[in-house]
Amino acid sequence: MGTENMITGLRAWLKEYDELADTRIDVDHLRGGIGSFSILADSMPETLATFMFGRQRRRTFYLSRECAYGDDSEQNIDNLAWYEHFSRWVYQQNLLRNYPDIGIGLTCFGIADITTGSVVAVTESGKAEYRIGISIDYTEGMI
């Protein structure tokens, strides 16, 4: 049985990563607490190729995480280390062809981290939003 849509399938796939298995993953917003996660969708899929009864496309998503942040270099190193480990997991899943089920008529054929984990926003209260880009390459055919 296929998922209803791409974001639902991506969320389920992310929960296969041990450190996200029991974690709430929101969509389009962070709840505002240390350790919260959210998936943000980029605006438009990129068409890679078209063929008679379908096309190949790429869609970009961002996994955001709110972390403790400040003058403590060890804390900030730990934040970045989480993303390094996660990035390696994404790479391994791609090599194993363990792709998310992204919906009816859509077939994933590649997934990759396209950016490293990096700070995109900092608050005065000692929190930062870190984000990593994930691209999904897929075919879209007739349903």
Side-chain angles (χ1 to χ4, degrees), residues 57-132:
R57 302 188 93 188
R58 175 174 293 144
R59 183 89 192 264
T60 302
F61 295 91
Y62 299 95
L63 179 63
S64 292
R65 177 181 182 215
E66 190 161 79
C67 301
Y69 178 85
D71 294 337
D72 180 2
S73 292
E74 291 303 313
Q75 174 62 58
N76 298 340
I77 288 169
D78 286 347
N79 294 341
L80 292 172
W82 188 94
Y83 280 99
E84 286 179 24
H85 188 264
F86 175 75
S87 176
R88 278 187 239 126
W89 179 82
V90 171
Y91 177 70
Q92 291 298 315
Q93 298 312 299
N94 190 60
L95 288 176
L96 296 169
R97 295 187 173 141
N98 178 28
Y99 302 131
D101 177 1
I102 57 173
I104 297 170
L106 305 175
T107 303
C108 182
F109 65 87
I111 191 160
D113 58 313
I114 56 169
T115 64
T116 59
S118 58
V119 175
V120 295
V122 176
T123 67
E124 290 182 22
S125 61
K127 294 186 268 185
E129 179 184 347
Y130 285 74
R131 189 178 292 172
I132 189 170

Side-chain angles (χ1 to χ4, degrees), residues 15-76:
K15 289 193 170 274
E16 293 177 20
Y17 182 60
D18 287 342
E19 293 186 40
L20 292 175
D22 297 322
T23 303
R24 177 180 168 153
I25 301 174
D26 291 313
V27 176
D28 285 345
H29 84 286
L30 285 169
R31 284 181 287 138
I34 300 294
S36 62
F37 286 88
S38 182
I39 299 171
L40 308 165
D42 203 348
S43 59
M44 287 295 285
E46 172 188 357
T47 299
L48 304 174
T50 57
F51 42 93
M52 182 142 337
F53 295 104
R55 58 187 171 179
Q56 290 182 343
R57 302 188 93 188
R58 175 174 293 144
R59 183 89 192 264
T60 302
F61 295 91
Y62 299 95
L63 179 63
S64 292
R65 177 181 182 215
E66 190 161 79
C67 301
Y69 178 85
D71 294 337
D72 180 2
S73 292
E74 291 303 313
Q75 174 62 58
N76 298 340

